[in-house]
Amino acid sequence: GKAASYHSNCAAALMQLGRMREALEACRAALRAEPTLPKACLRAASVQLAIGAVDEARVLYQRAAAGGAVAEAQAGLRSCQSADEELSKLHADLAVRRRGTQSGRLQLLARLEAFCAQAPHNRQLASLRAEALAVAGRFSEGRALCERELKAAERAGGDEASLWLYTLGRLLYDQSELEEASEKLKEALGRPGAPPACKPLLRHAQRLETERTAGNNAFKRGDWAGAVDAYTRALQVDAGHARFNALLYCNRAAAHAKKGLLSQAIADCSASIALDGAYAKAYLRRGELRQQCGDAPRAQEDYSSAQRLDRGAVGLEAARRLHELRSGAGSSRAHAGGGAHAGGGGARGGG
């Protein structure tokens, strides 16, 4: 009818202006006026595809095909399939890059920047870009993007807000800010349209926080074996969380050291460094352990690395120990057994 055609034409004009949320509302008005009008279904599907709502677009293309617009609908369905495949590849690549090199992370970010420039209204790509920004070390930019989009989504209504709450939770999880991540993920699950990955990620965040806290509490009361067990359980939760697992290995090293198991403690420090080569505290702890074992040359190397990587308390402590070791004042001191303590420190969410 005329009303459906009018709203469909309005949607086309709004799309040209980049006003996708308004275009979507115009499409919905057209479909309310005439639910089976092929032109309205095709227009609505194209808007949904443009914003990254592939499942919704697929349903509308199928409805258009049933209404007689077979050729256009089939072309649209092929576009949906391509979009799904590309998004799956990007998700898989991001999972790999979380454990990879910084150059690989920057390459993925550059790809996503290019995709977002080509599809500026695609919220799925924008969400992945926010994650890639954080993974590449630009957390504040990723968080600002999430918060900006979340505000816009909440003003507009609909189910887009859940995507941005999930994405913000994912960023916080990757930063090892587990309590705040859990809050955002719970909020996302309370909204319509929460991504499927939201619930398992929340379980990971809660279990990691539970086991890390159990390990820290056991350490504080002198239960070294209990601390080792709790950190070990935490390490089994998410093998892909390199940043947090580096903290856990470093904390477990402290517990091993308290038990007098210095070789296991050094191995855990090395595992921590292998996961996060910029973790100054792991270098400091390994230096303490190596010094206690009488390996002064390699202890000096570790102290130097810790001093280079950290300009705060860890770096200052490393500088002090390095000076003592070079001057001979600390050559006979057993630093690791008496000085080791559990804790991740700072941006890693504590110990």
Side-chain angles (χ1 to χ4, degrees):
K2 290 183 179 180
S5 295
Y6 167 76
H7 288 299
S8 182
N9 290 337
C10 286
L14 290 165
M15 286 180 70
Q16 290 295 320
L17 294 170
R19 292 157 62 178
M20 290 298 178
R21 289 189 176 94
E22 293 171 74
L24 188 56
E25 286 305 313
C27 287
R28 288 170 176 160
L31 291 170
R32 284 194 296 271
E34 193 167 343
T36 60
L37 181 67
K39 179 182 177 182
C41 292
L42 290 169
R43 187 83 71 203
S46 65
V47 174
Q48 295 283 16
L49 188 58
I51 65 174
V54 179
D55 290 340
E56 291 87 341
R58 186 176 286 110
V59 170
L60 288 161
Y61 280 128
Q62 290 168 346
R63 193 189 300 178
V70 177
E72 298 96 323
Q74 286 179 341
L77 289 168
R78 287 193 294 271
S79 295
C80 288
Q81 182 65 28
S82 296
D84 265 344
E85 291 173 357
E86 188 59 49
L87 198 62
S88 294
K89 289 177 185 176
L90 288 168
H91 275 292
D93 200 6
L94 183 59
V96 171
R97 300 302 183 187
R98 281 194 172 94
R99 303 189 294 272
T101 63
Q102 179 66 1
S103 63
R105 294 166 187 156
L106 293 173
Q107 287 171 8
L108 175 60
L109 178 58
R111 282 177 60 206
L112 279 164
E113 298 278 9
F115 279 128
C116 288
Q118 294 168 10
H121 306 291
N122 190 308
R123 60 196 185 194
Q124 298 293 337
L125 289 174
S127 169
L128 279 175
R129 175 173 171 260
E131 290 189 46
L133 280 166
V135 168
R138 294 161 60 181
F139 172 76
S140 59
E141 292 177 62
R143 180 167 192 164
L145 171 59
C146 288
E147 291 174 343
R148 184 170 63 249
E149 292 295 332
L150 178 58
K151 285 181 182 178
E154 289 180 331
R155 284 196 302 269
D159 60 3
E160 189 179 341
S162 61
L163 171 66
W164 291 106
L165 285 166
Y166 161 77
T167 307
L168 185 53
R170 174 81 239 194
L171 265 63
L172 291 163
Y173 178 84
D174 285 345
Q175 287 293 115
S176 300
E177 301 290 349
L178 299 180
E179 288 188 26
E180 192 177 357
S182 294
E183 291 174 7
K184 299 301 179 185
L185 294 169
K186 286 177 185 176
E187 192 175 350
L189 286 168
R191 306 284 187 95
C198 195
K199 190 173 289 186
L201 187 63
L202 175 60
R203 286 198 295 267
H204 279 348
Q206 291 174 328
R207 188 175 171 201
L208 282 173
E209 182 62 31
T210 297
E211 297 296 1
R212 188 264 299 270
T213 300
N216 290 354
N217 289 340
F219 194 97
K220 288 173 185 175
R221 63 176 181 265
D223 180 5
W224 318 128
V228 167
D229 288 345
Y231 294 139
T232 300
R233 289 193 301 271
L235 283 164
Q236 296 167 356
V237 173
D238 184 359
H241 200 329
R243 182 186 182 91
F244 197 75
N245 288 343
L247 177 151
L248 293 169
Y249 274 117
C250 194
N251 282 5
R252 195 172 72 173
H256 279 317
K258 287 292 189 179
K259 293 175 67 179
L261 303 174
L262 301 189
S263 61
Q264 288 97 319
I266 290 172
D268 271 359
C269 287
S270 297
S272 177
I273 291 164
L275 288 173
D276 186 353
Y279 191 9
K281 192 162 192 174
Y283 284 101
L284 173 62
R285 184 156 289 158
R286 191 172 68 177
E288 294 169 351
L289 292 161
R290 284 175 166 171
Q291 183 176 353
Q292 187 177 5
C293 291
D295 190 350
R298 289 204 289 177
Q300 289 188 46
E301 291 175 5
D302 283 337
Y303 290 149
S304 295
S305 295
Q307 183 182 17
R308 173 176 53 82
L309 290 166
D310 186 87
R311 297 182 179 276
V314 171
L316 290 172
E317 178 64 14
R320 184 184 70 79
R321 291 179 183 272
L322 185 61
H323 175 74
E324 284 185 354
L325 192 58
R326 286 173 173 168
S327 67
S331 59
S332 61
R333 294 175 60 183
H335 294 297
H341 61 282
R348 295 171 188 274

